[in-house]
PDB file of all heavy atoms in Angstrom:
ATOM      1  N   ILE A 519     -10.964   5.380  -0.425  1.00  0.00           N
ATOM      2  CA  ILE A 519     -10.701   5.871  -1.762  1.00  0.00           C
ATOM      3  C   ILE A 519     -10.851   7.392  -1.853  1.00  0.00           C
ATOM      4  O   ILE A 519     -10.013   8.109  -2.402  1.00  0.00           O
ATOM      5  CB  ILE A 519     -11.623   5.169  -2.791  1.00  0.00           C
ATOM      6  CG1 ILE A 519     -11.239   3.674  -2.891  1.00  0.00           C
ATOM      7  CG2 ILE A 519     -11.534   5.827  -4.154  1.00  0.00           C
ATOM      8  CD1 ILE A 519     -12.257   2.856  -3.680  1.00  0.00           C
ATOM      9  N   MET A 520     -11.949   7.881  -1.267  1.00  0.00           N
ATOM     10  CA  MET A 520     -12.206   9.315  -1.278  1.00  0.00           C
ATOM     11  C   MET A 520     -11.144  10.087  -0.482  1.00  0.00           C
ATOM     12  O   MET A 520     -10.713  11.163  -0.912  1.00  0.00           O
ATOM     13  CB  MET A 520     -13.603   9.606  -0.744  1.00  0.00           C
ATOM     14  CG  MET A 520     -14.730   9.035  -1.571  1.00  0.00           C
ATOM     15  SD  MET A 520     -14.720   9.669  -3.273  1.00  0.00           S
ATOM     16  CE  MET A 520     -14.984  11.420  -2.980  1.00  0.00           C
ATOM     17  N   GLU A 521     -10.764   9.562   0.675  1.00  0.00           N
ATOM     18  CA  GLU A 521      -9.766  10.257   1.503  1.00  0.00           C
ATOM     19  C   GLU A 521      -8.421  10.310   0.780  1.00  0.00           C
ATOM     20  O   GLU A 521      -7.708  11.331   0.842  1.00  0.00           O
ATOM     21  CB  GLU A 521      -9.613   9.522   2.846  1.00  0.00           C
ATOM     22  CG  GLU A 521      -8.540  10.120   3.723  1.00  0.00           C
ATOM     23  CD  GLU A 521      -8.780  11.557   4.124  1.00  0.00           C
ATOM     24  OE1 GLU A 521      -9.937  12.022   4.075  1.00  0.00           O
ATOM     25  OE2 GLU A 521      -7.782  12.234   4.488  1.00  0.00           O
ATOM     26  N   THR A 522      -8.053   9.253   0.078  1.00  0.00           N
ATOM     27  CA  THR A 522      -6.790   9.238  -0.660  1.00  0.00           C
ATOM     28  C   THR A 522      -6.786  10.296  -1.736  1.00  0.00           C
ATOM     29  O   THR A 522      -5.801  11.028  -1.916  1.00  0.00           O
ATOM     30  CB  THR A 522      -6.563   7.838  -1.278  1.00  0.00           C
ATOM     31  OG1 THR A 522      -6.556   6.857  -0.242  1.00  0.00           O
ATOM     32  CG2 THR A 522      -5.218   7.802  -2.014  1.00  0.00           C
ATOM     33  N   ALA A 523      -7.924  10.413  -2.468  1.00  0.00           N
ATOM     34  CA  ALA A 523      -8.041  11.402  -3.522  1.00  0.00           C
ATOM     35  C   ALA A 523      -8.036  12.822  -2.950  1.00  0.00           C
ATOM     36  O   ALA A 523      -7.446  13.734  -3.531  1.00  0.00           O
ATOM     37  CB  ALA A 523      -9.273  11.150  -4.343  1.00  0.00           C
ATOM     38  N   THR A 524      -8.693  12.982  -1.813  1.00  0.00           N
ATOM     39  CA  THR A 524      -8.806  14.316  -1.191  1.00  0.00           C
ATOM     40  C   THR A 524      -7.435  14.751  -0.652  1.00  0.00           C
ATOM     41  O   THR A 524      -7.072  15.934  -0.731  1.00  0.00           O
ATOM     42  CB  THR A 524      -9.813  14.279  -0.030  1.00  0.00           C
ATOM     43  OG1 THR A 524     -11.108  13.922  -0.555  1.00  0.00           O
ATOM     44  CG2 THR A 524      -9.907  15.633   0.646  1.00  0.00           C
ATOM     45  N   LYS A 525      -6.669  13.827  -0.120  1.00  0.00           N
ATOM     46  CA  LYS A 525      -5.421  14.170   0.542  1.00  0.00           C
ATOM     47  C   LYS A 525      -4.414  14.812  -0.408  1.00  0.00           C
ATOM     48  O   LYS A 525      -3.675  15.704  -0.006  1.00  0.00           O
ATOM     49  CB  LYS A 525      -4.822  12.866   1.145  1.00  0.00           C
ATOM     50  CG  LYS A 525      -3.657  13.103   2.087  1.00  0.00           C
ATOM     51  CD  LYS A 525      -3.445  11.940   3.019  1.00  0.00           C
ATOM     52  CE  LYS A 525      -3.306  10.609   2.342  1.00  0.00           C
ATOM     53  NZ  LYS A 525      -2.924   9.532   3.303  1.00  0.00           N
ATOM     54  N   ILE A 526      -4.409  14.382  -1.665  1.00  0.00           N
ATOM     55  CA  ILE A 526      -3.421  14.949  -2.584  1.00  0.00           C
ATOM     56  C   ILE A 526      -3.828  16.316  -3.129  1.00  0.00           C
ATOM     57  O   ILE A 526      -3.104  16.898  -3.929  1.00  0.00           O
ATOM     58  CB  ILE A 526      -3.109  13.994  -3.772  1.00  0.00           C
ATOM     59  CG1 ILE A 526      -4.352  13.730  -4.604  1.00  0.00           C
ATOM     60  CG2 ILE A 526      -2.486  12.688  -3.255  1.00  0.00           C
ATOM     61  CD1 ILE A 526      -4.024  13.088  -5.950  1.00  0.00           C
ATOM     62  N   GLN A 527      -4.955  16.822  -2.652  1.00  0.00           N
ATOM     63  CA  GLN A 527      -5.287  18.220  -2.965  1.00  0.00           C
ATOM     64  C   GLN A 527      -4.352  19.163  -2.187  1.00  0.00           C
ATOM     65  O   GLN A 527      -4.100  20.280  -2.603  1.00  0.00           O
ATOM     66  CB  GLN A 527      -6.748  18.545  -2.595  1.00  0.00           C
ATOM     67  CG  GLN A 527      -7.772  17.653  -3.270  1.00  0.00           C
ATOM     68  CD  GLN A 527      -7.702  17.669  -4.764  1.00  0.00           C
ATOM     69  OE1 GLN A 527      -7.579  18.732  -5.382  1.00  0.00           O
ATOM     70  NE2 GLN A 527      -7.763  16.504  -5.404  1.00  0.00           N
ATOM     71  N   ASP A 528      -3.857  18.688  -1.039  1.00  0.00           N
ATOM     72  CA  ASP A 528      -3.003  19.513  -0.200  1.00  0.00           C
ATOM     73  C   ASP A 528      -1.567  18.957  -0.052  1.00  0.00           C
ATOM     74  O   ASP A 528      -0.675  19.695   0.307  1.00  0.00           O
ATOM     75  CB  ASP A 528      -3.620  19.641   1.205  1.00  0.00           C
ATOM     76  CG  ASP A 528      -4.982  20.265   1.149  1.00  0.00           C
ATOM     77  OD1 ASP A 528      -5.126  21.344   0.527  1.00  0.00           O
ATOM     78  OD2 ASP A 528      -5.945  19.710   1.730  1.00  0.00           O
ATOM     79  N   LEU A 529      -1.397  17.670  -0.276  1.00  0.00           N
ATOM     80  CA  LEU A 529      -0.079  17.051  -0.176  1.00  0.00           C
ATOM     81  C   LEU A 529       0.363  16.532  -1.515  1.00  0.00           C
ATOM     82  O   LEU A 529      -0.445  16.165  -2.372  1.00  0.00           O
ATOM     83  CB  LEU A 529      -0.130  15.870   0.797  1.00  0.00           C
ATOM     84  CG  LEU A 529      -0.358  16.151   2.290  1.00  0.00           C
ATOM     85  CD1 LEU A 529      -0.474  14.843   3.054  1.00  0.00           C
ATOM     86  CD2 LEU A 529       0.808  16.982   2.848  1.00  0.00           C
ATOM     87  N   SER A 530       1.668  16.450  -1.719  1.00  0.00           N
ATOM     88  CA  SER A 530       2.165  15.800  -2.942  1.00  0.00           C
ATOM     89  C   SER A 530       1.923  14.296  -2.809  1.00  0.00           C
ATOM     90  O   SER A 530       1.875  13.785  -1.669  1.00  0.00           O
ATOM     91  CB  SER A 530       3.662  16.064  -3.107  1.00  0.00           C
ATOM     92  OG  SER A 530       4.404  15.348  -2.130  1.00  0.00           O
ATOM     93  N   PRO A 531       1.777  13.566  -3.911  1.00  0.00           N
ATOM     94  CA  PRO A 531       1.636  12.109  -3.796  1.00  0.00           C
ATOM     95  C   PRO A 531       2.775  11.457  -3.031  1.00  0.00           C
ATOM     96  O   PRO A 531       2.588  10.482  -2.331  1.00  0.00           O
ATOM     97  CB  PRO A 531       1.600  11.657  -5.270  1.00  0.00           C
ATOM     98  CG  PRO A 531       1.069  12.828  -6.003  1.00  0.00           C
ATOM     99  CD  PRO A 531       1.627  14.032  -5.290  1.00  0.00           C
ATOM    100  N   TYR A 532       3.968  12.041  -3.137  1.00  0.00           N
ATOM    101  CA  TYR A 532       5.126  11.512  -2.432  1.00  0.00           C
ATOM    102  C   TYR A 532       4.890  11.555  -0.916  1.00  0.00           C
ATOM    103  O   TYR A 532       5.103  10.559  -0.210  1.00  0.00           O
ATOM    104  CB  TYR A 532       6.387  12.277  -2.797  1.00  0.00           C
ATOM    105  CG  TYR A 532       7.628  11.783  -2.081  1.00  0.00           C
ATOM    106  CD1 TYR A 532       8.383  10.748  -2.599  1.00  0.00           C
ATOM    107  CD2 TYR A 532       8.041  12.370  -0.883  1.00  0.00           C
ATOM    108  CE1 TYR A 532       9.521  10.280  -1.929  1.00  0.00           C
ATOM    109  CE2 TYR A 532       9.168  11.935  -0.221  1.00  0.00           C
ATOM    110  CZ  TYR A 532       9.901  10.877  -0.748  1.00  0.00           C
ATOM    111  OH  TYR A 532      11.024  10.428  -0.098  1.00  0.00           O
ATOM    112  N   LEU A 533       4.448  12.703  -0.423  1.00  0.00           N
ATOM    113  CA  LEU A 533       4.240  12.859   1.028  1.00  0.00           C
ATOM    114  C   LEU A 533       2.989  12.123   1.503  1.00  0.00           C
ATOM    115  O   LEU A 533       2.910  11.767   2.678  1.00  0.00           O
ATOM    116  CB  LEU A 533       4.118  14.343   1.371  1.00  0.00           C
ATOM    117  CG  LEU A 533       5.401  15.182   1.213  1.00  0.00           C
ATOM    118  CD1 LEU A 533       5.103  16.651   1.489  1.00  0.00           C
ATOM    119  CD2 LEU A 533       6.508  14.658   2.135  1.00  0.00           C
ATOM    120  N   ALA A 534       2.053  11.907   0.603  1.00  0.00           N
ATOM    121  CA  ALA A 534       0.799  11.258   1.017  1.00  0.00           C
ATOM    122  C   ALA A 534       0.912   9.722   1.089  1.00  0.00           C
ATOM    123  O   ALA A 534       0.013   9.066   1.627  1.00  0.00           O
ATOM    124  CB  ALA A 534      -0.315  11.610   0.020  1.00  0.00           C
ATOM    125  N   GLN A 535       2.007   9.169   0.630  1.00  0.00           N
ATOM    126  CA  GLN A 535       2.152   7.708   0.572  1.00  0.00           C
ATOM    127  C   GLN A 535       2.199   7.096   1.974  1.00  0.00           C
ATOM    128  O   GLN A 535       2.886   7.577   2.859  1.00  0.00           O
ATOM    129  CB  GLN A 535       3.416   7.340  -0.185  1.00  0.00           C
ATOM    130  CG  GLN A 535       3.587   5.821  -0.394  1.00  0.00           C
ATOM    131  CD  GLN A 535       2.566   5.296  -1.378  1.00  0.00           C
ATOM    132  OE1 GLN A 535       2.470   5.734  -2.496  1.00  0.00           O
ATOM    133  NE2 GLN A 535       1.788   4.321  -0.917  1.00  0.00           N
ATOM    134  N   THR A 536       1.431   6.042   2.164  1.00  0.00           N
ATOM    135  CA  THR A 536       1.460   5.262   3.410  1.00  0.00           C
ATOM    136  C   THR A 536       1.497   3.797   3.038  1.00  0.00           C
ATOM    137  O   THR A 536       1.556   3.434   1.857  1.00  0.00           O
ATOM    138  CB  THR A 536       0.210   5.555   4.280  1.00  0.00           C
ATOM    139  OG1 THR A 536      -0.956   5.189   3.539  1.00  0.00           O
ATOM    140  CG2 THR A 536       0.113   7.032   4.662  1.00  0.00           C
ATOM    141  N   GLY A 537       1.452   2.917   4.034  1.00  0.00           N
ATOM    142  CA  GLY A 537       1.293   1.480   3.786  1.00  0.00           C
ATOM    143  C   GLY A 537       2.535   0.678   4.034  1.00  0.00           C
ATOM    144  O   GLY A 537       3.603   1.192   4.346  1.00  0.00           O
ATOM    145  N   PRO A 538       2.409  -0.658   3.960  1.00  0.00           N
ATOM    146  CA  PRO A 538       3.513  -1.555   4.306  1.00  0.00           C
ATOM    147  C   PRO A 538       4.741  -1.401   3.429  1.00  0.00           C
ATOM    148  O   PRO A 538       5.860  -1.551   3.929  1.00  0.00           O
ATOM    149  CB  PRO A 538       2.895  -2.946   4.136  1.00  0.00           C
ATOM    150  CG  PRO A 538       1.661  -2.755   3.303  1.00  0.00           C
ATOM    151  CD  PRO A 538       1.176  -1.402   3.604  1.00  0.00           C
ATOM    152  N   ALA A 539       4.554  -1.094   2.141  1.00  0.00           N
ATOM    153  CA  ALA A 539       5.757  -0.917   1.301  1.00  0.00           C
ATOM    154  C   ALA A 539       6.526   0.340   1.705  1.00  0.00           C
ATOM    155  O   ALA A 539       7.752   0.309   1.747  1.00  0.00           O
ATOM    156  CB  ALA A 539       5.322  -0.832  -0.175  1.00  0.00           C
ATOM    157  N   LYS A 540       5.817   1.407   2.011  1.00  0.00           N
ATOM    158  CA  LYS A 540       6.468   2.663   2.412  1.00  0.00           C
ATOM    159  C   LYS A 540       7.305   2.436   3.711  1.00  0.00           C
ATOM    160  O   LYS A 540       8.428   2.931   3.827  1.00  0.00           O
ATOM    161  CB  LYS A 540       5.384   3.724   2.637  1.00  0.00           C
ATOM    162  CG  LYS A 540       5.804   4.940   3.458  1.00  0.00           C
ATOM    163  CD  LYS A 540       6.721   5.880   2.692  1.00  0.00           C
ATOM    164  CE  LYS A 540       7.166   7.061   3.547  1.00  0.00           C
ATOM    165  NZ  LYS A 540       6.072   7.898   4.036  1.00  0.00           N
ATOM    166  N   ARG A 541       6.746   1.708   4.669  1.00  0.00           N
ATOM    167  CA  ARG A 541       7.425   1.521   5.934  1.00  0.00           C
ATOM    168  C   ARG A 541       8.306   0.244   5.952  1.00  0.00           C
ATOM    169  O   ARG A 541       8.873  -0.123   6.966  1.00  0.00           O
ATOM    170  CB  ARG A 541       6.457   1.484   7.101  1.00  0.00           C
ATOM    171  CG  ARG A 541       5.384   0.423   7.061  1.00  0.00           C
ATOM    172  CD  ARG A 541       4.440   0.523   8.266  1.00  0.00           C
ATOM    173  NE  ARG A 541       3.465  -0.553   8.243  1.00  0.00           N
ATOM    174  CZ  ARG A 541       2.260  -0.442   7.741  1.00  0.00           C
ATOM    175  NH1 ARG A 541       1.851   0.701   7.184  1.00  0.00           N
ATOM    176  NH2 ARG A 541       1.402  -1.464   7.768  1.00  0.00           N
ATOM    177  N   ASN A 542       8.371  -0.405   4.786  1.00  0.00           N
ATOM    178  CA  ASN A 542       9.189  -1.608   4.608  1.00  0.00           C
ATOM    179  C   ASN A 542       8.805  -2.713   5.603  1.00  0.00           C
ATOM    180  O   ASN A 542       9.640  -3.377   6.222  1.00  0.00           O
ATOM    181  CB  ASN A 542      10.676  -1.289   4.746  1.00  0.00           C
ATOM    182  CG  ASN A 542      11.548  -2.374   4.105  1.00  0.00           C
ATOM    183  OD1 ASN A 542      11.121  -3.052   3.180  1.00  0.00           O
ATOM    184  ND2 ASN A 542      12.736  -2.537   4.622  1.00  0.00           N
ATOM    185  N   ASP A 543       7.478  -2.918   5.727  1.00  0.00           N
ATOM    186  CA  ASP A 543       6.928  -3.930   6.633  1.00  0.00           C
ATOM    187  C   ASP A 543       6.910  -5.282   5.926  1.00  0.00           C
ATOM    188  O   ASP A 543       5.891  -5.697   5.368  1.00  0.00           O
ATOM    189  CB  ASP A 543       5.530  -3.493   7.070  1.00  0.00           C
ATOM    190  CG  ASP A 543       4.878  -4.430   8.070  1.00  0.00           C
ATOM    191  OD1 ASP A 543       5.435  -5.528   8.301  1.00  0.00           O
ATOM    192  OD2 ASP A 543       3.807  -4.079   8.612  1.00  0.00           O
ATOM    193  N   LYS A 544       8.050  -5.979   5.979  1.00  0.00           N
ATOM    194  CA  LYS A 544       8.198  -7.223   5.242  1.00  0.00           C
ATOM    195  C   LYS A 544       7.262  -8.312   5.706  1.00  0.00           C
ATOM    196  O   LYS A 544       6.781  -9.120   4.922  1.00  0.00           O
ATOM    197  CB  LYS A 544       9.653  -7.705   5.355  1.00  0.00           C
ATOM    198  CG  LYS A 544      10.652  -6.764   4.677  1.00  0.00           C
ATOM    199  CD  LYS A 544      12.062  -7.263   4.837  1.00  0.00           C
ATOM    200  CE  LYS A 544      13.065  -6.289   4.218  1.00  0.00           C
ATOM    201  NZ  LYS A 544      14.477  -6.757   4.385  1.00  0.00           N
ATOM    202  N   LYS A 545       6.990  -8.331   7.014  1.00  0.00           N
ATOM    203  CA  LYS A 545       6.082  -9.363   7.550  1.00  0.00           C
ATOM    204  C   LYS A 545       4.674  -9.240   6.949  1.00  0.00           C
ATOM    205  O   LYS A 545       4.078 -10.242   6.529  1.00  0.00           O
ATOM    206  CB  LYS A 545       6.010  -9.238   9.086  1.00  0.00           C
ATOM    207  CG  LYS A 545       5.243 -10.348   9.762  1.00  0.00           C
ATOM    208  CD  LYS A 545       5.366 -10.216  11.258  1.00  0.00           C
ATOM    209  CE  LYS A 545       4.602 -11.360  11.975  1.00  0.00           C
ATOM    210  NZ  LYS A 545       4.713 -11.243  13.464  1.00  0.00           N
ATOM    211  N   THR A 546       4.168  -8.011   6.893  1.00  0.00           N
ATOM    212  CA  THR A 546       2.837  -7.806   6.323  1.00  0.00           C
ATOM    213  C   THR A 546       2.815  -8.076   4.829  1.00  0.00           C
ATOM    214  O   THR A 546       1.879  -8.671   4.292  1.00  0.00           O
ATOM    215  CB  THR A 546       2.357  -6.352   6.591  1.00  0.00           C
ATOM    216  OG1 THR A 546       2.245  -6.166   7.994  1.00  0.00           O
ATOM    217  CG2 THR A 546       1.011  -6.080   5.938  1.00  0.00           C
ATOM    218  N   ILE A 547       3.872  -7.666   4.148  1.00  0.00           N
ATOM    219  CA  ILE A 547       3.963  -7.887   2.710  1.00  0.00           C
ATOM    220  C   ILE A 547       3.928  -9.386   2.395  1.00  0.00           C
ATOM    221  O   ILE A 547       3.224  -9.838   1.490  1.00  0.00           O
ATOM    222  CB  ILE A 547       5.250  -7.254   2.140  1.00  0.00           C
ATOM    223  CG1 ILE A 547       5.154  -5.715   2.213  1.00  0.00           C
ATOM    224  CG2 ILE A 547       5.526  -7.698   0.715  1.00  0.00           C
ATOM    225  CD1 ILE A 547       6.453  -5.001   1.956  1.00  0.00           C
ATOM    226  N   LYS A 548       4.657 -10.175   3.173  1.00  0.00           N
ATOM    227  CA  LYS A 548       4.652 -11.632   2.991  1.00  0.00           C
ATOM    228  C   LYS A 548       3.274 -12.236   3.218  1.00  0.00           C
ATOM    229  O   LYS A 548       2.841 -13.110   2.502  1.00  0.00           O
ATOM    230  CB  LYS A 548       5.678 -12.303   3.894  1.00  0.00           C
ATOM    231  CG  LYS A 548       7.138 -12.094   3.467  1.00  0.00           C
ATOM    232  CD  LYS A 548       8.092 -12.820   4.427  1.00  0.00           C
ATOM    233  CE  LYS A 548       9.513 -12.699   3.953  1.00  0.00           C
ATOM    234  NZ  LYS A 548      10.468 -13.392   4.878  1.00  0.00           N
ATOM    235  N   LYS A 549       2.593 -11.737   4.252  1.00  0.00           N
ATOM    236  CA  LYS A 549       1.234 -12.212   4.545  1.00  0.00           C
ATOM    237  C   LYS A 549       0.303 -11.920   3.383  1.00  0.00           C
ATOM    238  O   LYS A 549      -0.556 -12.743   2.988  1.00  0.00           O
ATOM    239  CB  LYS A 549       0.716 -11.563   5.813  1.00  0.00           C
ATOM    240  CG  LYS A 549       1.269 -12.113   7.114  1.00  0.00           C
ATOM    241  CD  LYS A 549       0.638 -11.413   8.313  1.00  0.00           C
ATOM    242  CE  LYS A 549       1.167 -11.988   9.626  1.00  0.00           C
ATOM    243  NZ  LYS A 549       0.552 -11.303  10.792  1.00  0.00           N
ATOM    244  N   HIS A 550       0.394 -10.700   2.840  1.00  0.00           N
ATOM    245  CA  HIS A 550      -0.469 -10.309   1.719  1.00  0.00           C
ATOM    246  C   HIS A 550      -0.214 -11.206   0.502  1.00  0.00           C
ATOM    247  O   HIS A 550      -1.164 -11.661  -0.143  1.00  0.00           O
ATOM    248  CB  HIS A 550      -0.225  -8.841   1.351  1.00  0.00           C
ATOM    249  CG  HIS A 550      -0.803  -7.880   2.341  1.00  0.00           C
ATOM    250  ND1 HIS A 550      -0.547  -6.547   2.294  1.00  0.00           N
ATOM    251  CD2 HIS A 550      -1.655  -8.076   3.388  1.00  0.00           C
ATOM    252  CE1 HIS A 550      -1.212  -5.925   3.270  1.00  0.00           C
ATOM    253  NE2 HIS A 550      -1.878  -6.839   3.948  1.00  0.00           N
ATOM    254  N   LEU A 551       1.048 -11.428   0.198  1.00  0.00           N
ATOM    255  CA  LEU A 551       1.369 -12.251  -0.968  1.00  0.00           C
ATOM    256  C   LEU A 551       0.851 -13.669  -0.786  1.00  0.00           C
ATOM    257  O   LEU A 551       0.378 -14.320  -1.717  1.00  0.00           O
ATOM    258  CB  LEU A 551       2.878 -12.254  -1.205  1.00  0.00           C
ATOM    259  CG  LEU A 551       3.434 -10.952  -1.809  1.00  0.00           C
ATOM    260  CD1 LEU A 551       4.957 -10.934  -1.730  1.00  0.00           C
ATOM    261  CD2 LEU A 551       2.972 -10.802  -3.262  1.00  0.00           C
ATOM    262  N   LYS A 552       0.945 -14.193   0.453  1.00  0.00           N
ATOM    263  CA  LYS A 552       0.448 -15.543   0.724  1.00  0.00           C
ATOM    264  C   LYS A 552      -1.067 -15.623   0.604  1.00  0.00           C
ATOM    265  O   LYS A 552      -1.616 -16.610   0.145  1.00  0.00           O
ATOM    266  CB  LYS A 552       0.861 -15.974   2.126  1.00  0.00           C
ATOM    267  CG  LYS A 552       0.532 -17.426   2.463  1.00  0.00           C
ATOM    268  CD  LYS A 552       1.056 -17.826   3.837  1.00  0.00           C
ATOM    269  CE  LYS A 552       0.711 -19.287   4.122  1.00  0.00           C
ATOM    270  NZ  LYS A 552       1.219 -19.696   5.469  1.00  0.00           N
ATOM    271  N   ALA A 553      -1.737 -14.505   0.966  1.00  0.00           N
ATOM    272  CA  ALA A 553      -3.198 -14.479   0.917  1.00  0.00           C
ATOM    273  C   ALA A 553      -3.759 -14.364  -0.486  1.00  0.00           C
ATOM    274  O   ALA A 553      -4.884 -14.778  -0.787  1.00  0.00           O
ATOM    275  CB  ALA A 553      -3.719 -13.341   1.779  1.00  0.00           C
ATOM    276  N   LEU A 554      -2.950 -13.772  -1.411  1.00  0.00           N
ATOM    277  CA  LEU A 554      -3.446 -13.602  -2.790  1.00  0.00           C
ATOM    278  C   LEU A 554      -3.433 -14.936  -3.541  1.00  0.00           C
ATOM    279  O   LEU A 554      -2.414 -15.592  -3.613  1.00  0.00           O
ATOM    280  CB  LEU A 554      -2.558 -12.573  -3.513  1.00  0.00           C
ATOM    281  CG  LEU A 554      -2.700 -11.124  -3.043  1.00  0.00           C
ATOM    282  CD1 LEU A 554      -1.612 -10.250  -3.663  1.00  0.00           C
ATOM    283  CD2 LEU A 554      -4.072 -10.562  -3.431  1.00  0.00           C
ATOM    284  N   GLU A 555      -4.577 -15.293  -4.064  1.00  0.00           N
ATOM    285  CA  GLU A 555      -4.706 -16.568  -4.762  1.00  0.00           C
ATOM    286  C   GLU A 555      -4.311 -16.452  -6.237  1.00  0.00           C
ATOM    287  O   GLU A 555      -3.933 -17.438  -6.861  1.00  0.00           O
ATOM    288  CB  GLU A 555      -6.132 -17.098  -4.632  1.00  0.00           C
ATOM    289  CG  GLU A 555      -6.530 -17.395  -3.206  1.00  0.00           C
ATOM    290  CD  GLU A 555      -7.934 -17.937  -3.071  1.00  0.00           C
ATOM    291  OE1 GLU A 555      -8.621 -17.979  -4.112  1.00  0.00           O
ATOM    292  OE2 GLU A 555      -8.334 -18.309  -1.947  1.00  0.00           O
ATOM    293  N   SER A 556      -4.473 -15.267  -6.796  1.00  0.00           N
ATOM    294  CA  SER A 556      -4.196 -15.082  -8.238  1.00  0.00           C
ATOM    295  C   SER A 556      -2.741 -14.660  -8.460  1.00  0.00           C
ATOM    296  O   SER A 556      -2.235 -13.707  -7.845  1.00  0.00           O
ATOM    297  CB  SER A 556      -5.128 -13.991  -8.795  1.00  0.00           C
ATOM    298  OG  SER A 556      -4.678 -13.526 -10.048  1.00  0.00           O
ATOM    299  N   ASP A 557      -2.042 -15.392  -9.326  1.00  0.00           N
ATOM    300  CA  ASP A 557      -0.694 -15.009  -9.695  1.00  0.00           C
ATOM    301  C   ASP A 557      -0.659 -13.625 -10.332  1.00  0.00           C
ATOM    302  O   ASP A 557       0.331 -12.868 -10.152  1.00  0.00           O
ATOM    303  CB  ASP A 557      -0.101 -16.036 -10.665  1.00  0.00           C
ATOM    304  CG  ASP A 557       0.319 -17.344  -9.982  1.00  0.00           C
ATOM    305  OD1 ASP A 557       0.375 -17.339  -8.723  1.00  0.00           O
ATOM    306  OD2 ASP A 557       0.569 -18.321 -10.672  1.00  0.00           O
ATOM    307  N   HIS A 558      -1.697 -13.285 -11.058  1.00  0.00           N
ATOM    308  CA  HIS A 558      -1.790 -11.971 -11.675  1.00  0.00           C
ATOM    309  C   HIS A 558      -1.827 -10.874 -10.608  1.00  0.00           C
ATOM    310  O   HIS A 558      -1.098  -9.869 -10.690  1.00  0.00           O
ATOM    311  CB  HIS A 558      -3.045 -11.912 -12.534  1.00  0.00           C
ATOM    312  CG  HIS A 558      -3.335 -10.562 -13.144  1.00  0.00           C
ATOM    313  ND1 HIS A 558      -2.459  -9.959 -14.014  1.00  0.00           N
ATOM    314  CD2 HIS A 558      -4.375  -9.718 -13.022  1.00  0.00           C
ATOM    315  CE1 HIS A 558      -2.969  -8.798 -14.396  1.00  0.00           C
ATOM    316  NE2 HIS A 558      -4.124  -8.622 -13.805  1.00  0.00           N
ATOM    317  N   HIS A 559      -2.608 -11.081  -9.561  1.00  0.00           N
ATOM    318  CA  HIS A 559      -2.684 -10.132  -8.484  1.00  0.00           C
ATOM    319  C   HIS A 559      -1.370 -10.069  -7.703  1.00  0.00           C
ATOM    320  O   HIS A 559      -0.934  -8.990  -7.278  1.00  0.00           O
ATOM    321  CB  HIS A 559      -3.829 -10.487  -7.512  1.00  0.00           C
ATOM    322  CG  HIS A 559      -5.182 -10.352  -8.117  1.00  0.00           C
ATOM    323  ND1 HIS A 559      -6.323 -10.800  -7.505  1.00  0.00           N
ATOM    324  CD2 HIS A 559      -5.586  -9.794  -9.284  1.00  0.00           C
ATOM    325  CE1 HIS A 559      -7.378 -10.569  -8.265  1.00  0.00           C
ATOM    326  NE2 HIS A 559      -6.941  -9.949  -9.374  1.00  0.00           N
ATOM    327  N   LYS A 560      -0.718 -11.208  -7.524  1.00  0.00           N
ATOM    328  CA  LYS A 560       0.565 -11.267  -6.864  1.00  0.00           C
ATOM    329  C   LYS A 560       1.599 -10.382  -7.622  1.00  0.00           C
ATOM    330  O   LYS A 560       2.362  -9.628  -7.031  1.00  0.00           O
ATOM    331  CB  LYS A 560       1.089 -12.701  -6.781  1.00  0.00           C
ATOM    332  CG  LYS A 560       0.494 -13.563  -5.687  1.00  0.00           C
ATOM    333  CD  LYS A 560       1.165 -14.915  -5.697  1.00  0.00           C
ATOM    334  CE  LYS A 560       0.794 -15.744  -4.459  1.00  0.00           C
ATOM    335  NZ  LYS A 560      -0.586 -16.217  -4.491  1.00  0.00           N
TER     336      LYS A 560
END
């Protein structure tokens, strides 16, 4: 959490974005959705 907040002191939020959605990692996204038990969280 702290590193994410610190990073945008020097980078734009656009450039700082990482993660499965950014890299279009469909396999990981499907795993995450399957692991989430709450429809609200899904």
Side-chain angles (χ1 to χ4, degrees):
I519 292 170
M520 295 302 297
E521 176 61 21
T522 302
T524 300
K525 191 159 54 173
I526 62 165
Q527 303 302 315
D528 301 310
L529 291 176
S530 71
Y532 179 87
L533 292 176
Q535 186 68 58
T536 60
K540 163 73 182 300
R541 59 181 183 265
N542 200 28
D543 183 349
K544 295 179 181 179
K545 187 175 181 179
T546 297
I547 291 168
K548 285 182 177 180
K549 283 182 178 180
H550 286 171
L551 286 168
K552 187 176 180 181
L554 289 169
E555 297 181 355
S556 165
D557 284 346
H558 176 60
H559 293 170
K560 281 184 170 71

